[in-house]
Amino acid sequence: MIFSLVSTAFLVYRFMLIGYILMSWVPALQNSAVGSFLEKVCEPYLGFFRKFIPPIGMIDISPIVGLFVLVFIEQGVYNVIGYLL
């Protein structure tokens, strides 16, 4: 039960991050209610990586690193939950 709840939460956040990343290609979407919500939820997490990873030319690779780190965090949370149960 706990594993499925945690898995669903990480999956939803991963989709939110992907949606936020894709919205950067369509600036009109960033000004919508969904865009502002995703910015409030995703930007604090992605902003952490933008501090340390500069863009390469016009390409920002920090969201890719952020997604990979999120997968590692998810696996760590699974390990902790498995250890506690």
Side-chain angles (χ1 to χ4, degrees):
M1 175 73 177
I2 294 175
F3 280 112
S4 64
L5 181 64
V6 170
S7 175
T8 303
F10 275 104
L11 181 66
V12 167
Y13 193 67
R14 205 173 312 139
F15 280 134
M16 290 171 67
L17 285 173
I18 291 169
Y20 181 68
I21 293 165
L22 293 176
M23 270 189 352
S24 68
W25 295 348
V26 184
L29 291 176
Q30 293 175 346
N31 296 329
S32 67
V34 174
S36 64
F37 171 74
L38 288 178
E39 181 179 5
K40 289 177 186 175
V41 173
C42 298
E43 190 56 38
Y45 178 72
L46 293 176
F48 173 77
F49 296 103
R50 287 191 180 116
K51 290 179 190 176
F52 302 107
I53 304 170
I56 300 172
M58 291 180 53
I59 299 174
D60 184 15
I61 63 167
S62 60
I64 297 169
V65 174
L67 284 170
F68 280 123
V69 170
L70 186 65
V71 170
F72 289 125
I73 292 171
E74 182 178 7
Q75 291 301 315
V77 169
Y78 289 156
N79 288 336
V80 169
I81 292 173
Y83 178 74
L84 293 176
L85 298 178

